Amino acid sequence: ILKEAVISPKFKVYSDPEGTVNSTLLSIDDRSTIVIDTQANEAQGRALLAQVQGRVLFVFNTHEHGDHIAGNRLFAGPIISS
């Protein structure tokens, strides 16, 4: 459901099938991840959540459009919005 681009072992980008919505996972260590944007719908948000290793330190939303925040409620931890 999501395409994965591995920039480095600790930096991965996930896109919707059309490549128009991106989310980024930054692994801080083996137990902590920062999530940047949570996809455009709940199904994609769940697919993104399945890729998280360890706990979510926080979610950062680049902006408040629905295609960036639709999966927010699925993630535990603080949410920071620009």
Side-chain angles (χ1 to χ4, degrees):
I1 190 169
L2 296 178
K3 294 189 240 176
E4 178 185 64
V6 178
I7 309 305
S8 78
K10 294 185 176 270
F11 180 29
K12 299 177 183 176
V13 177
Y14 294 87
S15 302
D16 67 345
E18 293 78 36
T20 58
V21 176
N22 294 312
S23 296
T24 303
L25 300 182
L26 297 173
S27 298
I28 303 307
D29 54 34
D30 293 337
R31 298 168 301 187
S32 304
T33 300
I34 296 171
V35 178
I36 303 171
D37 293 331
T38 59
Q39 286 294 316
N41 59 53
E42 192 168 309
Q44 291 172 346
R46 285 187 201 288
L48 180 66
L49 182 58
Q51 302 304 316
V52 171
Q53 296 180 349
R55 68 185 178 103
V56 174
L57 290 177
F58 61 86
V59 171
F60 179 80
N61 294 134
T62 57
H63 58 283
E64 297 281 331
H65 290 170
D67 62 334
H68 293 257
I69 67 170
N72 278 5
R73 69 182 196 85
L74 302 171
F75 291 82
I79 296 175
I80 301 168
S81 293
S82 62

